[in-house]
Amino acid sequence: MSNALKVIVTMIGLDGHTTGGEVVAMILRDAGIEVVYLGVNQTPEMIVRAALQEDVDAIGISSHAANYSQIEELVQLLRARGMGDVPVICGGNVPRHTAEQLLAKGVASVVLPGASSEHIVQTVRSLARQRVA
């Protein structure tokens, strides 16, 4: 069994902006983190199913559209399936007031534009679920 972290990177709902997610996937891979890239048009249910199948340590959502209720739904579904320890990290052009709302609803972190590669990697590593040996 690998000690490397495993993270889903995806876009949720009808958000078709892929560049941010693709760049983050590359940054995480370059840092030695295993990335499962799901791409666009993913529903909260599809992401939870993939998280279960892939046994991931975190979920990264690249968000550039007003699909924030789906991100909140994703957090709720993870909790309902006993996966509340899998953090959801959101990044992208998220208005600050919306970022605060997402954090209040259980999103682990919102990474805003301009964050460095080091900040992104550190955020994922520090928030990834801790496995009990």
PDB file of all heavy atoms in Angstrom, residues 59-94:
ATOM      1  N   ILE A  59     -10.761  15.790  -1.536  1.00  0.00           N
ATOM      2  CA  ILE A  59     -11.434  16.100  -2.800  1.00  0.00           C
ATOM      3  C   ILE A  59     -11.209  17.578  -3.081  1.00  0.00           C
ATOM      4  O   ILE A  59     -11.500  18.433  -2.240  1.00  0.00           O
ATOM      5  CB  ILE A  59     -12.943  15.813  -2.718  1.00  0.00           C
ATOM      6  CG1 ILE A  59     -13.187  14.326  -2.464  1.00  0.00           C
ATOM      7  CG2 ILE A  59     -13.650  16.283  -4.001  1.00  0.00           C
ATOM      8  CD1 ILE A  59     -14.629  13.980  -2.153  1.00  0.00           C
ATOM      9  N   GLY A  60     -10.687  17.857  -4.276  1.00  0.00           N
ATOM     10  CA  GLY A  60     -10.472  19.230  -4.709  1.00  0.00           C
ATOM     11  C   GLY A  60     -11.480  19.599  -5.779  1.00  0.00           C
ATOM     12  O   GLY A  60     -11.598  18.907  -6.787  1.00  0.00           O
ATOM     13  N   ILE A  61     -12.220  20.676  -5.544  1.00  0.00           N
ATOM     14  CA  ILE A  61     -13.199  21.163  -6.505  1.00  0.00           C
ATOM     15  C   ILE A  61     -12.699  22.489  -7.072  1.00  0.00           C
ATOM     16  O   ILE A  61     -12.473  23.445  -6.328  1.00  0.00           O
ATOM     17  CB  ILE A  61     -14.580  21.401  -5.844  1.00  0.00           C
ATOM     18  CG1 ILE A  61     -15.102  20.127  -5.167  1.00  0.00           C
ATOM     19  CG2 ILE A  61     -15.566  21.959  -6.865  1.00  0.00           C
ATOM     20  CD1 ILE A  61     -15.455  19.016  -6.111  1.00  0.00           C
ATOM     21  N   SER A  62     -12.501  22.540  -8.379  1.00  0.00           N
ATOM     22  CA  SER A  62     -12.164  23.786  -9.049  1.00  0.00           C
ATOM     23  C   SER A  62     -13.475  24.442  -9.434  1.00  0.00           C
ATOM     24  O   SER A  62     -14.262  23.873 -10.185  1.00  0.00           O
ATOM     25  CB  SER A  62     -11.310  23.500 -10.290  1.00  0.00           C
ATOM     26  OG  SER A  62     -11.044  24.698 -10.978  1.00  0.00           O
ATOM     27  N   SER A  63     -13.724  25.627  -8.897  1.00  0.00           N
ATOM     28  CA  SER A  63     -15.031  26.257  -9.068  1.00  0.00           C
ATOM     29  C   SER A  63     -14.900  27.664  -9.620  1.00  0.00           C
ATOM     30  O   SER A  63     -14.224  28.512  -9.045  1.00  0.00           O
ATOM     31  CB  SER A  63     -15.759  26.301  -7.727  1.00  0.00           C
ATOM     32  OG  SER A  63     -17.022  26.871  -7.890  1.00  0.00           O
ATOM     33  N   HIS A  64     -15.574  27.897 -10.747  1.00  0.00           N
ATOM     34  CA  HIS A  64     -15.598  29.222 -11.357  1.00  0.00           C
ATOM     35  C   HIS A  64     -17.015  29.589 -11.775  1.00  0.00           C
ATOM     36  O   HIS A  64     -17.203  30.410 -12.656  1.00  0.00           O
ATOM     37  CB  HIS A  64     -14.667  29.264 -12.573  1.00  0.00           C
ATOM     38  CG  HIS A  64     -13.254  28.996 -12.212  1.00  0.00           C
ATOM     39  ND1 HIS A  64     -12.411  29.974 -11.757  1.00  0.00           N
ATOM     40  CD2 HIS A  64     -12.536  27.850 -12.197  1.00  0.00           C
ATOM     41  CE1 HIS A  64     -11.226  29.448 -11.496  1.00  0.00           C
ATOM     42  NE2 HIS A  64     -11.281  28.171 -11.749  1.00  0.00           N
ATOM     43  N   ALA A  65     -17.985  28.952 -11.186  1.00  0.00           N
ATOM     44  CA  ALA A  65     -19.384  29.203 -11.536  1.00  0.00           C
ATOM     45  C   ALA A  65     -20.215  29.221 -10.255  1.00  0.00           C
ATOM     46  O   ALA A  65     -19.736  28.843  -9.192  1.00  0.00           O
ATOM     47  CB  ALA A  65     -19.890  28.123 -12.491  1.00  0.00           C
ATOM     48  N   ALA A  66     -21.438  29.609 -10.368  1.00  0.00           N
ATOM     49  CA  ALA A  66     -22.303  29.713  -9.195  1.00  0.00           C
ATOM     50  C   ALA A  66     -22.950  28.366  -8.870  1.00  0.00           C
ATOM     51  O   ALA A  66     -24.159  28.228  -8.862  1.00  0.00           O
ATOM     52  CB  ALA A  66     -23.353  30.777  -9.434  1.00  0.00           C
ATOM     53  N   ASN A  67     -22.123  27.379  -8.611  1.00  0.00           N
ATOM     54  CA  ASN A  67     -22.602  26.025  -8.302  1.00  0.00           C
ATOM     55  C   ASN A  67     -22.321  25.676  -6.847  1.00  0.00           C
ATOM     56  O   ASN A  67     -22.139  24.515  -6.511  1.00  0.00           O
ATOM     57  CB  ASN A  67     -21.935  25.013  -9.229  1.00  0.00           C
ATOM     58  CG  ASN A  67     -20.416  25.134  -9.189  1.00  0.00           C
ATOM     59  OD1 ASN A  67     -19.873  25.899  -8.401  1.00  0.00           O
ATOM     60  ND2 ASN A  67     -19.736  24.398 -10.028  1.00  0.00           N
ATOM     61  N   TYR A  68     -22.320  26.678  -6.014  1.00  0.00           N
ATOM     62  CA  TYR A  68     -21.874  26.479  -4.636  1.00  0.00           C
ATOM     63  C   TYR A  68     -22.797  25.572  -3.840  1.00  0.00           C
ATOM     64  O   TYR A  68     -22.346  24.852  -2.951  1.00  0.00           O
ATOM     65  CB  TYR A  68     -21.674  27.834  -3.959  1.00  0.00           C
ATOM     66  CG  TYR A  68     -20.761  28.717  -4.777  1.00  0.00           C
ATOM     67  CD1 TYR A  68     -21.211  29.892  -5.345  1.00  0.00           C
ATOM     68  CD2 TYR A  68     -19.446  28.336  -5.028  1.00  0.00           C
ATOM     69  CE1 TYR A  68     -20.377  30.679  -6.132  1.00  0.00           C
ATOM     70  CE2 TYR A  68     -18.610  29.112  -5.806  1.00  0.00           C
ATOM     71  CZ  TYR A  68     -19.076  30.279  -6.354  1.00  0.00           C
ATOM     72  OH  TYR A  68     -18.250  31.041  -7.135  1.00  0.00           O
ATOM     73  N   SER A  69     -24.093  25.562  -4.153  1.00  0.00           N
ATOM     74  CA  SER A  69     -25.005  24.669  -3.433  1.00  0.00           C
ATOM     75  C   SER A  69     -24.638  23.213  -3.702  1.00  0.00           C
ATOM     76  O   SER A  69     -24.817  22.352  -2.831  1.00  0.00           O
ATOM     77  CB  SER A  69     -26.453  24.938  -3.819  1.00  0.00           C
ATOM     78  OG  SER A  69     -26.674  24.637  -5.185  1.00  0.00           O
ATOM     79  N   GLN A  70     -24.096  22.905  -4.877  1.00  0.00           N
ATOM     80  CA  GLN A  70     -23.670  21.534  -5.168  1.00  0.00           C
ATOM     81  C   GLN A  70     -22.437  21.152  -4.358  1.00  0.00           C
ATOM     82  O   GLN A  70     -22.286  19.991  -3.981  1.00  0.00           O
ATOM     83  CB  GLN A  70     -23.398  21.363  -6.661  1.00  0.00           C
ATOM     84  CG  GLN A  70     -24.670  21.413  -7.479  1.00  0.00           C
ATOM     85  CD  GLN A  70     -24.383  21.179  -8.946  1.00  0.00           C
ATOM     86  OE1 GLN A  70     -23.537  21.826  -9.524  1.00  0.00           O
ATOM     87  NE2 GLN A  70     -25.089  20.223  -9.523  1.00  0.00           N
ATOM     88  N   ILE A  71     -21.581  22.117  -4.073  1.00  0.00           N
ATOM     89  CA  ILE A  71     -20.418  21.837  -3.227  1.00  0.00           C
ATOM     90  C   ILE A  71     -20.891  21.535  -1.810  1.00  0.00           C
ATOM     91  O   ILE A  71     -20.414  20.595  -1.171  1.00  0.00           O
ATOM     92  CB  ILE A  71     -19.416  23.012  -3.268  1.00  0.00           C
ATOM     93  CG1 ILE A  71     -18.877  23.181  -4.695  1.00  0.00           C
ATOM     94  CG2 ILE A  71     -18.276  22.786  -2.276  1.00  0.00           C
ATOM     95  CD1 ILE A  71     -18.106  24.469  -4.934  1.00  0.00           C
ATOM     96  N   GLU A  72     -21.862  22.310  -1.337  1.00  0.00           N
ATOM     97  CA  GLU A  72     -22.435  22.052  -0.010  1.00  0.00           C
ATOM     98  C   GLU A  72     -23.104  20.681   0.015  1.00  0.00           C
ATOM     99  O   GLU A  72     -22.975  19.940   0.993  1.00  0.00           O
ATOM    100  CB  GLU A  72     -23.437  23.146   0.350  1.00  0.00           C
ATOM    101  CG  GLU A  72     -22.798  24.501   0.538  1.00  0.00           C
ATOM    102  CD  GLU A  72     -23.808  25.625   0.713  1.00  0.00           C
ATOM    103  OE1 GLU A  72     -25.005  25.346   0.908  1.00  0.00           O
ATOM    104  OE2 GLU A  72     -23.389  26.804   0.650  1.00  0.00           O
ATOM    105  N   GLU A  73     -23.806  20.327  -1.063  1.00  0.00           N
ATOM    106  CA  GLU A  73     -24.448  19.015  -1.155  1.00  0.00           C
ATOM    107  C   GLU A  73     -23.398  17.895  -1.119  1.00  0.00           C
ATOM    108  O   GLU A  73     -23.609  16.859  -0.471  1.00  0.00           O
ATOM    109  CB  GLU A  73     -25.266  18.922  -2.444  1.00  0.00           C
ATOM    110  CG  GLU A  73     -25.999  17.609  -2.605  1.00  0.00           C
ATOM    111  CD  GLU A  73     -26.760  17.508  -3.918  1.00  0.00           C
ATOM    112  OE1 GLU A  73     -26.984  18.534  -4.597  1.00  0.00           O
ATOM    113  OE2 GLU A  73     -27.137  16.377  -4.262  1.00  0.00           O
ATOM    114  N   LEU A  74     -22.268  18.110  -1.767  1.00  0.00           N
ATOM    115  CA  LEU A  74     -21.174  17.130  -1.749  1.00  0.00           C
ATOM    116  C   LEU A  74     -20.718  16.866  -0.314  1.00  0.00           C
ATOM    117  O   LEU A  74     -20.565  15.711   0.095  1.00  0.00           O
ATOM    118  CB  LEU A  74     -20.013  17.631  -2.607  1.00  0.00           C
ATOM    119  CG  LEU A  74     -18.716  16.826  -2.541  1.00  0.00           C
ATOM    120  CD1 LEU A  74     -18.927  15.399  -3.043  1.00  0.00           C
ATOM    121  CD2 LEU A  74     -17.620  17.528  -3.333  1.00  0.00           C
ATOM    122  N   VAL A  75     -20.518  17.921   0.455  1.00  0.00           N
ATOM    123  CA  VAL A  75     -20.096  17.772   1.859  1.00  0.00           C
ATOM    124  C   VAL A  75     -21.145  16.982   2.637  1.00  0.00           C
ATOM    125  O   VAL A  75     -20.819  16.070   3.404  1.00  0.00           O
ATOM    126  CB  VAL A  75     -19.838  19.156   2.498  1.00  0.00           C
ATOM    127  CG1 VAL A  75     -19.615  19.023   4.002  1.00  0.00           C
ATOM    128  CG2 VAL A  75     -18.651  19.841   1.832  1.00  0.00           C
ATOM    129  N   GLN A  76     -22.418  17.291   2.426  1.00  0.00           N
ATOM    130  CA  GLN A  76     -23.497  16.589   3.130  1.00  0.00           C
ATOM    131  C   GLN A  76     -23.534  15.109   2.748  1.00  0.00           C
ATOM    132  O   GLN A  76     -23.718  14.241   3.606  1.00  0.00           O
ATOM    133  CB  GLN A  76     -24.841  17.246   2.820  1.00  0.00           C
ATOM    134  CG  GLN A  76     -24.980  18.630   3.397  1.00  0.00           C
ATOM    135  CD  GLN A  76     -26.197  19.370   2.854  1.00  0.00           C
ATOM    136  OE1 GLN A  76     -26.907  18.893   1.979  1.00  0.00           O
ATOM    137  NE2 GLN A  76     -26.435  20.563   3.383  1.00  0.00           N
ATOM    138  N   LEU A  77     -23.360  14.809   1.465  1.00  0.00           N
ATOM    139  CA  LEU A  77     -23.368  13.413   1.013  1.00  0.00           C
ATOM    140  C   LEU A  77     -22.192  12.631   1.599  1.00  0.00           C
ATOM    141  O   LEU A  77     -22.349  11.468   1.978  1.00  0.00           O
ATOM    142  CB  LEU A  77     -23.321  13.340  -0.515  1.00  0.00           C
ATOM    143  CG  LEU A  77     -24.615  13.634  -1.253  1.00  0.00           C
ATOM    144  CD1 LEU A  77     -24.360  13.715  -2.757  1.00  0.00           C
ATOM    145  CD2 LEU A  77     -25.655  12.577  -0.953  1.00  0.00           C
ATOM    146  N   LEU A  78     -21.033  13.251   1.655  1.00  0.00           N
ATOM    147  CA  LEU A  78     -19.870  12.577   2.255  1.00  0.00           C
ATOM    148  C   LEU A  78     -20.163  12.221   3.709  1.00  0.00           C
ATOM    149  O   LEU A  78     -19.894  11.105   4.149  1.00  0.00           O
ATOM    150  CB  LEU A  78     -18.620  13.461   2.157  1.00  0.00           C
ATOM    151  CG  LEU A  78     -18.008  13.594   0.771  1.00  0.00           C
ATOM    152  CD1 LEU A  78     -16.982  14.721   0.751  1.00  0.00           C
ATOM    153  CD2 LEU A  78     -17.365  12.272   0.334  1.00  0.00           C
ATOM    154  N   ARG A  79     -20.724  13.159   4.443  1.00  0.00           N
ATOM    155  CA  ARG A  79     -21.060  12.905   5.848  1.00  0.00           C
ATOM    156  C   ARG A  79     -22.075  11.782   5.967  1.00  0.00           C
ATOM    157  O   ARG A  79     -21.948  10.900   6.818  1.00  0.00           O
ATOM    158  CB  ARG A  79     -21.587  14.175   6.502  1.00  0.00           C
ATOM    159  CG  ARG A  79     -20.525  15.227   6.722  1.00  0.00           C
ATOM    160  CD  ARG A  79     -21.120  16.486   7.294  1.00  0.00           C
ATOM    161  NE  ARG A  79     -20.085  17.488   7.536  1.00  0.00           N
ATOM    162  CZ  ARG A  79     -20.323  18.776   7.644  1.00  0.00           C
ATOM    163  NH1 ARG A  79     -21.559  19.243   7.565  1.00  0.00           N
ATOM    164  NH2 ARG A  79     -19.335  19.620   7.852  1.00  0.00           N
ATOM    165  N   ALA A  80     -23.090  11.806   5.104  1.00  0.00           N
ATOM    166  CA  ALA A  80     -24.151  10.790   5.151  1.00  0.00           C
ATOM    167  C   ALA A  80     -23.615   9.392   4.833  1.00  0.00           C
ATOM    168  O   ALA A  80     -24.164   8.397   5.307  1.00  0.00           O
ATOM    169  CB  ALA A  80     -25.263  11.152   4.166  1.00  0.00           C
ATOM    170  N   ARG A  81     -22.556   9.316   4.065  1.00  0.00           N
ATOM    171  CA  ARG A  81     -21.963   8.026   3.689  1.00  0.00           C
ATOM    172  C   ARG A  81     -20.814   7.631   4.610  1.00  0.00           C
ATOM    173  O   ARG A  81     -20.048   6.723   4.299  1.00  0.00           O
ATOM    174  CB  ARG A  81     -21.453   8.084   2.253  1.00  0.00           C
ATOM    175  CG  ARG A  81     -22.527   8.435   1.249  1.00  0.00           C
ATOM    176  CD  ARG A  81     -23.071   7.227   0.534  1.00  0.00           C
ATOM    177  NE  ARG A  81     -24.271   7.502  -0.224  1.00  0.00           N
ATOM    178  CZ  ARG A  81     -24.322   8.117  -1.401  1.00  0.00           C
ATOM    179  NH1 ARG A  81     -23.232   8.546  -1.973  1.00  0.00           N
ATOM    180  NH2 ARG A  81     -25.482   8.298  -2.001  1.00  0.00           N
ATOM    181  N   GLY A  82     -20.660   8.344   5.740  1.00  0.00           N
ATOM    182  CA  GLY A  82     -19.601   8.014   6.690  1.00  0.00           C
ATOM    183  C   GLY A  82     -18.222   8.438   6.240  1.00  0.00           C
ATOM    184  O   GLY A  82     -17.222   7.922   6.721  1.00  0.00           O
ATOM    185  N   MET A  83     -18.172   9.396   5.312  1.00  0.00           N
ATOM    186  CA  MET A  83     -16.885   9.867   4.788  1.00  0.00           C
ATOM    187  C   MET A  83     -16.650  11.333   5.152  1.00  0.00           C
ATOM    188  O   MET A  83     -15.987  12.062   4.414  1.00  0.00           O
ATOM    189  CB  MET A  83     -16.857   9.691   3.269  1.00  0.00           C
ATOM    190  CG  MET A  83     -16.941   8.253   2.820  1.00  0.00           C
ATOM    191  SD  MET A  83     -16.920   8.118   1.020  1.00  0.00           S
ATOM    192  CE  MET A  83     -15.267   8.710   0.659  1.00  0.00           C
ATOM    193  N   GLY A  84     -17.172  11.736   6.284  1.00  0.00           N
ATOM    194  CA  GLY A  84     -17.007  13.121   6.706  1.00  0.00           C
ATOM    195  C   GLY A  84     -15.574  13.508   6.997  1.00  0.00           C
ATOM    196  O   GLY A  84     -15.261  14.691   7.114  1.00  0.00           O
ATOM    197  N   ASP A  85     -14.679  12.494   7.092  1.00  0.00           N
ATOM    198  CA  ASP A  85     -13.265  12.792   7.331  1.00  0.00           C
ATOM    199  C   ASP A  85     -12.511  13.091   6.040  1.00  0.00           C
ATOM    200  O   ASP A  85     -11.317  13.398   6.078  1.00  0.00           O
ATOM    201  CB  ASP A  85     -12.595  11.645   8.089  1.00  0.00           C
ATOM    202  CG  ASP A  85     -12.600  10.329   7.327  1.00  0.00           C
ATOM    203  OD1 ASP A  85     -13.467  10.130   6.442  1.00  0.00           O
ATOM    204  OD2 ASP A  85     -11.736   9.480   7.613  1.00  0.00           O
ATOM    205  N   VAL A  86     -13.174  13.005   4.898  1.00  0.00           N
ATOM    206  CA  VAL A  86     -12.547  13.340   3.615  1.00  0.00           C
ATOM    207  C   VAL A  86     -12.813  14.819   3.356  1.00  0.00           C
ATOM    208  O   VAL A  86     -13.949  15.201   3.074  1.00  0.00           O
ATOM    209  CB  VAL A  86     -13.100  12.483   2.455  1.00  0.00           C
ATOM    210  CG1 VAL A  86     -12.474  12.903   1.130  1.00  0.00           C
ATOM    211  CG2 VAL A  86     -12.859  11.005   2.721  1.00  0.00           C
ATOM    212  N   PRO A  87     -11.788  15.657   3.464  1.00  0.00           N
ATOM    213  CA  PRO A  87     -12.023  17.093   3.310  1.00  0.00           C
ATOM    214  C   PRO A  87     -12.303  17.481   1.868  1.00  0.00           C
ATOM    215  O   PRO A  87     -11.750  16.905   0.934  1.00  0.00           O
ATOM    216  CB  PRO A  87     -10.705  17.712   3.784  1.00  0.00           C
ATOM    217  CG  PRO A  87      -9.687  16.657   3.512  1.00  0.00           C
ATOM    218  CD  PRO A  87     -10.388  15.344   3.747  1.00  0.00           C
ATOM    219  N   VAL A  88     -13.170  18.465   1.717  1.00  0.00           N
ATOM    220  CA  VAL A  88     -13.443  19.071   0.423  1.00  0.00           C
ATOM    221  C   VAL A  88     -12.733  20.418   0.411  1.00  0.00           C
ATOM    222  O   VAL A  88     -12.973  21.267   1.279  1.00  0.00           O
ATOM    223  CB  VAL A  88     -14.958  19.245   0.187  1.00  0.00           C
ATOM    224  CG1 VAL A  88     -15.215  20.008  -1.109  1.00  0.00           C
ATOM    225  CG2 VAL A  88     -15.657  17.891   0.176  1.00  0.00           C
ATOM    226  N   ILE A  89     -11.856  20.578  -0.559  1.00  0.00           N
ATOM    227  CA  ILE A  89     -11.087  21.813  -0.715  1.00  0.00           C
ATOM    228  C   ILE A  89     -11.527  22.442  -2.030  1.00  0.00           C
ATOM    229  O   ILE A  89     -11.481  21.801  -3.072  1.00  0.00           O
ATOM    230  CB  ILE A  89      -9.573  21.516  -0.729  1.00  0.00           C
ATOM    231  CG1 ILE A  89      -9.167  20.798   0.563  1.00  0.00           C
ATOM    232  CG2 ILE A  89      -8.778  22.805  -0.935  1.00  0.00           C
ATOM    233  CD1 ILE A  89      -7.810  20.134   0.504  1.00  0.00           C
ATOM    234  N   CYS A  90     -11.964  23.668  -1.954  1.00  0.00           N
ATOM    235  CA  CYS A  90     -12.476  24.366  -3.122  1.00  0.00           C
ATOM    236  C   CYS A  90     -11.478  25.443  -3.534  1.00  0.00           C
ATOM    237  O   CYS A  90     -10.865  26.087  -2.685  1.00  0.00           O
ATOM    238  CB  CYS A  90     -13.822  24.989  -2.773  1.00  0.00           C
ATOM    239  SG  CYS A  90     -14.634  25.799  -4.149  1.00  0.00           S
ATOM    240  N   GLY A  91     -11.310  25.617  -4.825  1.00  0.00           N
ATOM    241  CA  GLY A  91     -10.435  26.667  -5.317  1.00  0.00           C
ATOM    242  C   GLY A  91     -11.045  27.325  -6.531  1.00  0.00           C
ATOM    243  O   GLY A  91     -11.882  26.743  -7.212  1.00  0.00           O
ATOM    244  N   GLY A  92     -10.616  28.539  -6.791  1.00  0.00           N
ATOM    245  CA  GLY A  92     -11.080  29.231  -7.981  1.00  0.00           C
ATOM    246  C   GLY A  92     -11.559  30.627  -7.659  1.00  0.00           C
ATOM    247  O   GLY A  92     -11.261  31.179  -6.600  1.00  0.00           O
ATOM    248  N   ASN A  93     -12.293  31.191  -8.604  1.00  0.00           N
ATOM    249  CA  ASN A  93     -12.810  32.549  -8.455  1.00  0.00           C
ATOM    250  C   ASN A  93     -14.069  32.537  -7.591  1.00  0.00           C
ATOM    251  O   ASN A  93     -15.173  32.686  -8.093  1.00  0.00           O
ATOM    252  CB  ASN A  93     -13.102  33.158  -9.829  1.00  0.00           C
ATOM    253  CG  ASN A  93     -11.836  33.416 -10.598  1.00  0.00           C
ATOM    254  OD1 ASN A  93     -10.838  33.832 -10.036  1.00  0.00           O
ATOM    255  ND2 ASN A  93     -11.867  33.155 -11.889  1.00  0.00           N
ATOM    256  N   VAL A  94     -13.873  32.355  -6.311  1.00  0.00           N
ATOM    257  CA  VAL A  94     -14.973  32.280  -5.356  1.00  0.00           C
ATOM    258  C   VAL A  94     -15.026  33.615  -4.606  1.00  0.00           C
ATOM    259  O   VAL A  94     -14.044  34.001  -3.977  1.00  0.00           O
ATOM    260  CB  VAL A  94     -14.764  31.117  -4.356  1.00  0.00           C
ATOM    261  CG1 VAL A  94     -15.905  31.046  -3.361  1.00  0.00           C
ATOM    262  CG2 VAL A  94     -14.586  29.798  -5.097  1.00  0.00           C
TER     263      VAL A  94
END
